Amino acid sequence: MKRIPLLQISDLEKRFTVNEKWMSQWSLNKGRSYKRQNTVYALNGITLTLHRGETLCIVGETGCGKSTLARAIMGLTKPDAGEIHYGDQRIDNLNDRQRLIFRRRMQMVFQNPYASLNPRMTIYQTLSEPIRFHNPHLTRTEVDDKVSQLINSVGIAPSWVDRYPHEFSGGQRQRISIARALSVEPELIVADEPLAALDVSVQAQVLNLMMDKQEEYDLTYLFITHDLAVVEHFSNRVAVMYLGAMCELSPTKTLFDSPKHPYTQALLSAIPRLDNNTQKPIKLIGEVPTPYDAITGCPFHARCPFAQERCIAETPAMKRQADGSSVACHAVEEDRL
Amino acid sequence: MDLLDVRNLNVNFQLKREDLAALIDINFSLKHGERIAFVGESGAGKSILGFSIVNLISRPGYIKSGSIKLNGNELSHLSNRQMRHIRGKRIAMIFQDPMMTLNPVLTVGEQMVEAIRSHTDLRKKEAKNLAIAKLAQVQIASPENRFNQYPHELSGGMRQRVIIAIALLLKPDIIIADEPTTALDVTIQAEILELLKHICDDNNVALILISHDLGVVSRVAERTIVMYAGRIVEQGPTLEIINDPQHPYTQGLLNALPQMSLPGHRLNQIEGAMPSLNDRPKGCAFHTRCPYVMDKCKQKQPDSLYNGVSHVACFMVEDMMKEISDESYDFDEGDGPDNGAYLLSISQQKGDV
């Protein structure tokens, strides 16, 4: 049976203008004034399908556009081109009022639990607000019951709901953020580096909680991270992004067993592992450039050890491989890796 | 003689009503050119330990007792003025966030020249040449141009390289690196770690790495010190600690890593959280979270004992050692919790799936 895609993204593009103020666009050179507007090309044609009940991880270095993608899906930034479909309805061009029903079906967990909880609201207020907003018919006791059941299910005592966020540790706060996301019973949770601010042991607690909740509510996760060990453990499929473009999309096991794109190979070799420290990381020259100009050719060509003229001239398309992965690379296509 | 020798170090925080112990009975030493690591969760006291070596703990914190000896000279009693000759020159520090450490209103060059001139009597020109040479040594391309740039013009990895260059300027004996790669991406992290390792080898500099990431530690450090609630719970060679951890806390930390469980299964979390300074439990501080807790663990603190490979402070390990020596077994055949075999079985299972 073919699964119905929950979310379909096609050719999504997003550009940011750096100097928005009219005055700051002018510069003086040799007595003449010039007007110039800098643009950052954050997303360049992302196509992605998310199935119900799966966990898709998006990995990539800082500045590759993974957070922008998450925010575009949630409707927090408006994409410049491309479409996002949720189920069978297009959602990227909705206004706030039309989007309300989708806000309930998709929720987001943010990176920094110290910044994403309102410090002036108690945990009860934080959790009950979305419940009351989306279920106006509930009575006060019903809301109370729901809040205490929710907070209990993420491993925090219901008697603590009248406390403020600063009274909790980082791991507890991240669990509260998850409880808040779960409070409206969503289908999709977009998590933007939810583990980055946490210690290893606390990371394990939060990850376990997320897996339990997935089983309980049949949740779909779009999980953004740069920690590949977490990816290997947690996800069904992995999307690797570089400079606003997708370079590889594979089932997790395939990706870790046989990474195809040169960037994926370098990324995997850079994980500090406990067991095999004999393997030398593949060195990449330079760092991720900021995409100030529209990219011609393969976005990775400047750092790629296998780059040829074709890579500079022509943008590679995602090609499906025999083992179920999709790779955008001329070198893989021509079989010269 | 050891380069750095820390004995019975106690660091406290004097608050209005109470005197809280942040570090208790810390003992360790560091040889010339050796690379060691402090590991533990946040709040374990690893950064405080790093800071107290260079006497950078400010009030209300103070060194209560104990000695810190650099080449046989006591550091803990030095005045601020005397300490200034040690900091930067003999012991250099690298901090977590490179943007916070560099002065944003001075160029990279100005900051480097300032550091050189305040410790030596080199002339400006000579100092500049030295600075550019060090920038080249940390593999910064076109160091002459970088010398005149401001920190905000550099990327995160580049900034951390500049910091390492600054740390190297005065040929220190020790570099203390407090989570040097936490703010960086994996690929950049791998480069910086590799660089740190080479720099230390080439210049015979000892390194103290403070990190919570055991993967990072295993890549760089020769010896590892595991800390919990202000005490050292285990110290020994990194490979031994990773392959055969003795203390239940070290085992818990290692088992919590995602690669230690089968994909898609629950991770082995350590229940609970580290106690805060003002409600440290009686006895062994880890007993509230320990799966092997015994009655005596709740009563008194276990001593740190040497088992032939590493130093461990745990009653369970102590009992096991007693048992083994009573029955006059060979130490090598002791059947402690064997993580090496566990790792192996996991990797085999992964292969089968």
Side-chain angles (χ1 to χ4, degrees), chain B residues 89-150:
Chain B
K89 191 161 196 289
R90 308 288 304 282
I91 306 178
M93 252 188 124
I94 297 171
F95 296 93
Q96 176 168 349
D97 189 344
M99 197 60 220
M100 307 282 271
T101 339
L102 288 170
N103 188 335
V105 297
L106 295 179
T107 62
V108 167
E110 283 166 346
Q111 304 187 37
M112 296 183 83
V113 169
E114 184 189 355
I116 300 170
R117 301 243 300 163
S118 64
H119 284 284
T120 63
D121 37 347
L122 287 182
R123 261 176 273 165
K124 261 199 176 142
K125 188 96 196 185
E126 293 166 326
K128 181 176 175 180
N129 289 339
L130 176 64
I132 290 179
K134 291 294 175 192
L135 285 177
Q137 200 184 343
V138 293
Q139 296 158 17
I140 287 183
S142 59
E144 291 86 0
N145 299 337
R146 300 291 179 202
F147 186 83
N148 292 318
Q149 284 185 324
Y150 286 92

Side-chain angles (χ1 to χ4, degrees), chain A residues 61 199 201 208 212 233 287, chain B residues 41-42 155 187 265-267:
Chain A
E61 287 171 276
D199 269 326
S201 56
N208 278 344
D212 291 346
H233 186 81
E287 296 177 18
Chain B
E41 289 169 274
S42 358
S155 66
T187 50
H265 285 65
R266 287 180 65 86
L267 297 171

Side-chain angles (χ1 to χ4, degrees), chain A residues 155 169 171-172 175 199 201-203 205, chain B residues 41 228 249 269-275 286 288-290:
Chain A
S169 69
Q172 286 171 329
R175 279 186 272 169
D199 269 326
S201 56
V202 182
Q203 219 175 42
Q205 294 173 1
Chain B
E41 289 169 274
Y228 185 82
Y249 178 59
Q269 64 193 48
I270 312 178
E271 297 298 333
M274 169 141 3
F286 189 58
T288 48
R289 303 169 75 187
C290 181

Side-chain angles (χ1 to χ4, degrees), chain B residues 46-103:
Chain B
K46 49 194 198 308
S47 289
I48 296 282
L49 179 49
F51 286 140
S52 55
I53 292 169
V54 282
N55 217 333
L56 269 183
I57 24 177
S58 49
R59 294 199 337 175
Y62 68 101
I63 295 179
K64 192 180 174 199
S65 61
S67 83
I68 303 167
K69 283 200 174 104
L70 180 72
N71 277 327
N73 301 320
E74 183 61 45
L75 292 187
S76 58
H77 303 317
L78 291 186
S79 68
N80 243 335
R81 180 182 283 272
Q82 291 165 313
M83 202 59 213
R84 224 177 285 159
H85 296 291
I86 307 273
R87 280 183 213 135
K89 191 161 196 289
R90 308 288 304 282
I91 306 178
M93 252 188 124
I94 297 171
F95 296 93
Q96 176 168 349
D97 189 344
M99 197 60 220
M100 307 282 271
T101 339
L102 288 170
N103 188 335

Side-chain angles (χ1 to χ4, degrees), chain B residues 40-327:
Chain B
E41 289 169 274
S42 358
K46 49 194 198 308
S47 289
I48 296 282
L49 179 49
F51 286 140
S52 55
I53 292 169
V54 282
N55 217 333
L56 269 183
I57 24 177
S58 49
R59 294 199 337 175
Y62 68 101
I63 295 179
K64 192 180 174 199
S65 61
S67 83
I68 303 167
K69 283 200 174 104
L70 180 72
N71 277 327
N73 301 320
E74 183 61 45
L75 292 187
S76 58
H77 303 317
L78 291 186
S79 68
N80 243 335
R81 180 182 283 272
Q82 291 165 313
M83 202 59 213
R84 224 177 285 159
H85 296 291
I86 307 273
R87 280 183 213 135
K89 191 161 196 289
R90 308 288 304 282
I91 306 178
M93 252 188 124
I94 297 171
F95 296 93
Q96 176 168 349
D97 189 344
M99 197 60 220
M100 307 282 271
T101 339
L102 288 170
N103 188 335
V105 297
L106 295 179
T107 62
V108 167
E110 283 166 346
Q111 304 187 37
M112 296 183 83
V113 169
E114 184 189 355
I116 300 170
R117 301 243 300 163
S118 64
H119 284 284
T120 63
D121 37 347
L122 287 182
R123 261 176 273 165
K124 261 199 176 142
K125 188 96 196 185
E126 293 166 326
K128 181 176 175 180
N129 289 339
L130 176 64
I132 290 179
K134 291 294 175 192
L135 285 177
Q137 200 184 343
V138 293
Q139 296 158 17
I140 287 183
S142 59
E144 291 86 0
N145 299 337
R146 300 291 179 202
F147 186 83
N148 292 318
Q149 284 185 324
Y150 286 92
H152 75 262
E153 297 177 79
L154 308 176
S155 66
M158 198 73 89
R159 277 182 218 140
Q160 201 59 294
R161 278 172 202 270
V162 169
I163 307 256
I164 295 175
I166 293 178
L168 283 174
L169 280 175
L170 301 151
K171 298 203 181 72
D173 298 322
I174 305 175
I175 291 179
I176 302 176
D178 188 358
E179 308 252 13
T181 57
T182 312
L184 306 174
D185 277 316
V186 247
T187 50
I188 313 293
Q189 164 172 292
E191 280 173 35
I192 296 284
L193 290 178
E194 204 62 17
L195 176 73
L196 262 180
K197 206 168 143 180
H198 280 301
I199 292 276
C200 291
D201 276 348
D202 297 347
N203 303 308
N204 196 29
V205 182
L207 177 73
I208 297 178
L209 179 74
I210 300 171
S211 178
H212 66 266
D213 189 337
L214 285 155
V216 166
V217 166
S218 73
R219 217 169 226 191
V220 177
E222 295 157 345
R223 218 146 48 80
T224 298
I225 293 176
V226 185
M227 298 188 65
Y228 185 82
R231 281 184 195 267
I232 293 180
V233 293
E234 182 164 359
Q235 66 171 303
T238 305
L239 274 180
E240 293 297 332
I241 296 231
I242 281 169
N243 290 325
D244 187 12
Q246 301 290 317
H247 197 281
Y249 178 59
T250 320
Q251 294 171 6
L253 269 188
L254 278 162
N255 284 336
L257 292 175
Q259 54 262 46
M260 295 303 281
S261 332
L262 287 170
H265 285 65
R266 287 180 65 86
L267 297 171
N268 316 303
Q269 64 193 48
I270 312 178
E271 297 298 333
M274 169 141 3
S276 63
L277 291 184
N278 53 9
D279 60 348
R280 187 196 307 277
K282 207 168 163 250
C284 173
F286 189 58
H287 84 245
T288 48
R289 303 169 75 187
C290 181
Y292 311 107
V293 60
M294 297 178 282
D295 282 343
K296 60 180 164 184
C297 300
K298 297 171 188 165
Q299 303 305 321
K300 67 177 207 252
Q301 167 66 29
D303 294 324
S304 186
L305 294 176
Y306 186 58
N307 68 359
V309 189
S310 49
H311 295 266
V312 190
C314 177
F315 281 123
M316 183 189 65
V317 178
E318 195 180 323
D319 288 351
M320 214 136 57
M321 280 163 61
K322 267 192 208 135
E323 219 170 87
I324 291 166
S325 62
D326 284 350
E327 296 171 23

